[in-house]
Amino acid sequence: MSSSTSQRPWAGFLGTWVLIPDSCNHEQGLPPRAGRYVISEAEGRLTFTIDWVDAAGASHQVSFSGIPDGAPARFAGGELADALAVSAPSARRLDSVAFRGGQALMFAERQLDDVGTTMRVVQQVKLPDGSRPTNVSLYRKHLPS
């Protein structure tokens, strides 16, 4: 592991990732037709920008950011979340947890394959009935030509 990676274990996640639509396994909602996931870093913060085309053909985008120190920080997530924690437990894993009123309600775990060219995203939401539907998708790293 390079010293850059040991100091910034999330470095392998930085860049643009393209959804592999056939890889989607969704327990909540229909899988998207297409998607792009961009992870960038500036001033100690990681920003996640996700664009997707839903099953009906409508385009969507969500963007959020956090300091990858594992500590919950105030977050303007409207009625869904008021705090967000981002952590990088290893060079192959990058997590985020969204909280509302101190309760962890949304989880996202990103895992890199052995060569760092495929990212597996596992998203889970805790619903009011206590169920935890999970959506899994694979993304391929976009390498500029």
Side-chain angles (χ1 to χ4, degrees):
M1 182 185 309
S2 74
S3 63
S4 171
T5 303
S6 62
Q7 293 171 4
R8 296 173 41 246
W10 55 84
F13 289 90
L14 300 175
T16 299
W17 301 84
V18 178
L19 178 68
I20 304 169
D22 293 342
S23 74
C24 297
N25 181 2
H26 284 211
E27 294 178 354
Q28 183 181 40
L30 295 173
R33 291 182 184 180
R36 185 180 66 166
Y37 210 114
V38 178
I39 302 173
S40 58
E41 179 182 21
E43 299 177 12
R45 298 181 72 82
L46 296 181
T47 298
F48 303 82
T49 303
I50 304 109
D51 298 287
W52 72 98
V53 177
D54 67 22
S59 296
H60 304 273
Q61 182 183 70
V62 65
S63 184
F64 59 93
S65 66
I67 298 170
D69 61 4
R74 290 181 52 97
F75 177 69
E79 292 182 15
L80 296 177
D82 57 16
L84 178 73
V86 177
S87 62
S90 74
R92 290 185 51 205
R93 187 167 149 199
L94 180 60
D95 298 342
S96 56
V97 181
F99 299 84
R100 179 79 184 156
Q103 285 195 348
L105 297 178
M106 293 177 271
F107 311 86
E109 179 181 295
R110 299 158 197 86
Q111 300 171 330
L112 294 180
D113 67 358
D114 290 341
V115 293
T117 57
T118 302
M119 177 175 67
R120 180 176 186 249
V121 179
V122 179
Q123 296 171 287
Q124 188 178 75
V125 178
K126 182 179 178 187
L127 298 177
D129 67 4
S131 65
R132 294 175 180 259
T134 302
N135 292 349
V136 180
S137 303
L138 295 178
Y139 290 78
R140 185 168 292 115
K141 192 155 202 176
H142 175 72
L143 301 172
S145 33

